[in-house]
Amino acid sequence: MKEFLIAGNWKMYKTSAEAKAFAKELKEQKLPNEDMVAIMAPYTQLTTLVDEFADTKLGVGAQNVHYEKEGAFTGEISADMLEEIGIKYCVVGHSERRQYYGETDNAVNLKIKALLAKEITPILCVGETLEQRENGMPQLVVSTQLMNGLAGLSEEDVRKIVIAYEPVWAIGTGKTATPEQAEEMCGFIKGMIEGLFGEVCSYVVKVLYGGSMKPANAKELLSQPSINGGLIGGASLKVESFAEIARIAYEISNTGNFC
Ligand code: PGA
């Protein structure tokens, strides 16, 4: 059976009232694979979702973390703070954070270590810009982000990480990577993990695709052999489209229906 993670990335959308309404509606869907489904919410909506999902297997994640345990870092949140309220996942190195907030590979690496110490699953985002793809270097960009992000980690650590391949040119643009492009890079990532940490590790690590995933393209993308789920922005804001993608993943995981 193929294991998936269908992770919604709400970015800076939804108030607490909106998050609560979404959670109630999502629970009513009674998804058969709740344990494979999670929402990455803004900080102020995290406890709302943790409370709403308490009687389900749905997961809750943050979108960022500081790597220090505590200190004079105005506006930041630590892994200890996330752990205390029951957070299961945390996105690190999203291209929007790399681009707008100067998040470096080194910071990403420290954040992953801080999260692993608290048993929170990091979702490490990697991906090239359009310019980098056109210059023929998407693999170089992704492998550099991966090597730096995972520096100093053991095989045991890496097994606990989720990697999301998100080509920057496909995020929020409506332009999806073709299933072949997505599979090529996710397969490349799995190959790198195998080279660095061994075959078992590359099998265990989930590699997600992100970038304009929606119900209309989810089946083809999720059926690719190296893709274990999606990091979903726009389509995670409505229960209907998000639940539909989760159901597609369930069908594929149940039928073993890979392309
Ligand atoms: P999108 O966002 O699905 O809206 O393209 C994906 C992401 O940025 O994680």
Side-chain angles (χ1 to χ4, degrees):
M1 190 176 121
K2 196 177 178 189
E3 293 242 344
F4 284 105
L5 174 63
I6 299 299
N9 176 16
W10 278 358
K11 309 191 180 188
M12 199 174 73
Y13 287 99
K14 293 199 190 290
T15 62
S16 282
E18 288 164 346
K20 206 170 181 160
F22 179 101
K24 287 195 191 306
E25 216 188 303
L26 185 61
K27 284 196 291 184
E28 281 164 15
Q29 299 283 321
K30 302 247 178 288
L31 293 172
N33 53 345
E34 284 184 345
D35 55 331
M36 295 183 185
V37 178
I39 297 284
M40 313 296 123
Y43 286 137
T44 52
Q45 274 58 274
L46 294 177
T47 45
T48 305
L49 290 187
V50 168
D51 291 348
E52 285 295 329
F53 292 167
D55 53 347
T56 74
K57 289 189 174 144
L58 295 160
V60 183
Q63 301 172 10
N64 186 31
V65 67
H66 196 282
Y67 48 79
E68 292 289 351
K69 195 178 161 54
E70 58 184 10
F73 301 104
T74 302
E76 294 292 332
I77 301 277
S78 72
D80 289 63
M81 296 169 187
L82 295 177
E83 182 208 26
E84 187 191 31
I85 58 167
I87 295 309
K88 275 173 86 171
Y89 301 94
C90 183
V91 176
V92 285
H94 191 282
S95 62
E96 286 152 15
R97 295 212 58 86
R98 292 181 192 261
Q99 190 184 340
Y100 306 138
Y101 305 100
E103 192 158 312
T104 61
D105 281 342
N106 183 45
V108 166
N109 178 250
L110 294 172
K111 288 176 184 202
I112 290 175
K113 288 173 180 162
L115 290 167
L116 288 173
K118 291 289 146 193
E119 300 197 356
I120 297 171
T121 302
I123 302 181
L124 164 61
C125 300
V126 295
E128 81 287 357
T129 62
L130 186 58
E131 198 188 354
Q132 290 163 336
R133 177 161 280 262
E134 285 173 349
N135 288 339
M137 50 201 272
Q139 270 93 352
L140 179 64
V141 173
V142 167
S143 58
T144 305
Q145 289 173 337
L146 209 55
M147 299 257 279
N148 293 339
L150 302 180
L153 298 182
S154 67
E155 191 255 5
E156 203 188 323
D157 290 333
V158 176
R159 280 185 191 216
K160 298 177 191 151
I161 292 173
V162 173
I163 297 165
Y165 168 55
E166 298 207 306
V168 179
W169 47 273
I171 296 175
T173 58
K175 241 191 203 177
T176 321
T178 63
E180 294 73 28
Q181 285 172 323
E183 169 60 22
E184 188 186 22
M185 192 61 89
C186 292
F188 172 76
I189 291 169
K190 289 252 182 197
M192 269 198 70
I193 299 291
E194 183 174 341
L196 292 167
F197 301 99
E199 199 181 341
V200 177
C201 189
S202 84
Y203 182 78
V204 173
V205 168
K206 288 192 186 71
V207 179
L208 315 184
Y209 167 78
S212 300
M213 187 184 277
K214 48 187 181 277
N217 58 29
K219 187 168 182 196
E220 259 197 302
L221 288 163
L222 295 174
S223 299
Q224 300 302 316
S226 306
I227 299 181
N228 305 103
L231 186 56
I232 302 148
S236 73
L237 296 174
K238 290 215 167 74
V239 169
E240 203 185 7
S241 44
F242 186 60
E244 183 59 23
I245 297 173
R247 279 199 201 89
I248 291 168
Y250 177 71
E251 247 170 62
I252 298 170
S253 67
N254 242 13
T255 57
N257 177 20
F258 310 165
C259 279

